């Protein structure tokens, strides 16, 4: 089955810096890669996702890149703000039929003012 | 907080007791899921259900049971056989079809075994 590894487990940056979180996956048939953000005490929420037919997707200050050959994908946050502080989870799945998501272990991002 | 409602938010249990966590959704989603969240371990799938009266074990189903008698409801029972039940439990749902991978989560239930 699919296995997703996520690094780093914690990341501290200064406000305005960029943050990068990386994930690798094992199942070459996986083709859907979402990122969820979980603020302290709240539910995880989807912030961006990418499918295997594209290499990069952007939404304002966040972007995700995908390298299918190397089986890794990354979340990039630019101009970080204190409200970006949260735990971020990557995940992977196939999109053919019903397929459950497999999550990474999470990255705790702390943005200091 | 509409969409998926989990209750109770906090629950304390004595060892040897079964407890049931409620999950109700009004999104008309077909599939429902239960995840367990522990520090440093991400989200691990306990059980999932694609349709009424059908469910499958996830990666850590031992010591848990579920039912899916109604499309809107997917309760999780944590039995006394679960050796380390203290955790944060998240329920989620997805539609079938093109949005099948986009999870909508409930607010979670935190279970503490005394």
């Amino acid at each position: 089955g699919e296995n997703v590894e996520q690094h780093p487990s914690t990341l501290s940056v200064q406000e305005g810096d960029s943050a990068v979180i990386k994930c690798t996956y094992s199942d070459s048939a996986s083709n859907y890669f979402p990122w969820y953000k979980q603020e302290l005490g709240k539910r995880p929420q989807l912030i961006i996702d990418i499918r295997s037919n594209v290499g990069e997707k952007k939404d304002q200050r966040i972007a995700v890149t995908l390298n299918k050959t190397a089986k890794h994908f990354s979340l990039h946050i630019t101009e970080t703000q204190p409200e970006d502080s949260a735990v971020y989870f990557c995940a992977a799945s196939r999109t053919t039929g019903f397929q459950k998501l497999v999550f990474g272990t999470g990255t705790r991002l702390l943005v200091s003012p | 907080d509409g969409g998926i409602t989990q209750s109770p938010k906090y629950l304390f249990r004595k060892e040897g007791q079964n407890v049931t966590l409620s999950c109700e959704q009004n999104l008309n989603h077909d599939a429902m899921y239960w995840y367990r969240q522990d520090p440093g371990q991400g989200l691990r799938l306990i059980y999932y259900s694609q349709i009424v009266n059908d469910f499958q074990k996830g990666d850590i189903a031992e010591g848990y049971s579920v039912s899916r008698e109604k499309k809107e409801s997917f309760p999780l029972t944590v039995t006394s056989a679960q050796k380390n039940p203290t955790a944060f439990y998240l329920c989620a749902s997805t539609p079938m079809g093109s949005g099948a991978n986009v999870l909508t989560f409930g607010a979670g239930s935190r279970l503490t075994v005394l």
Side-chain angles (χ1 to χ4, degrees), chain A residues 32 34 36 38 41-46 49 51 89 93-95 97-101 103-106, chain B residues 1-2 4 31 33 35 37 40-43 45 48 50 59 88 90 96 98 101-103 105-107:
Chain A
Y32 175 68
Y36 284 80
Q38 186 178 27
K42 296 190 176 180
R43 70 192 76 192
Q45 292 192 308
L46 178 71
D49 57 12
R51 298 183 188 273
F89 293 98
S93 76
R94 305 179 184 184
T95 54
F98 176 83
Q99 295 291 341
K100 56 184 174 70
L101 283 169
F103 284 86
T105 51
Chain B
D1 282 348
I4 298 183
Y33 311 76
Y35 288 90
Q37 185 174 19
Q41 295 196 51
L43 301 172
L45 184 64
Y48 63 100
Q50 295 175 254
D59 301 318
F88 189 56
L90 284 162
M96 296 301 277
S98 61
N101 297 98
V102 182
L103 290 165
F105 284 94

Side-chain angles (χ1 to χ4, degrees), chain A residues 11-13 19 21 77 80 84-88 107-111:
Chain A
L11 179 59
S12 295
V13 300
I21 302 170
I77 306 175
T80 54
D84 293 329
S85 296
V87 178
Y88 292 82
T107 296
R108 183 172 299 278
L109 174 65
L110 177 61
V111 181

Side-chain angles (χ1 to χ4, degrees), chain A residues 50-68:
Chain A
I50 191 168
R51 298 183 188 273
S52 59
N53 56 344
V54 296
E56 184 176 8
K57 183 177 179 181
K58 290 183 179 180
D59 183 3
Q60 299 183 344
R61 295 187 296 107
I62 61 173
V64 56
T65 58
L66 171 65
N67 183 326
K68 284 217 72 176

Side-chain angles (χ1 to χ4, degrees), chain B residues 6-21:
Chain B
Q6 288 187 240
S7 62
K9 189 171 184 179
Y10 299 97
L11 184 61
F12 298 88
R13 188 194 94 175
K14 293 182 180 179
E15 285 193 24
Q17 288 182 335
N18 293 355
V19 294
T20 297
L21 308 180

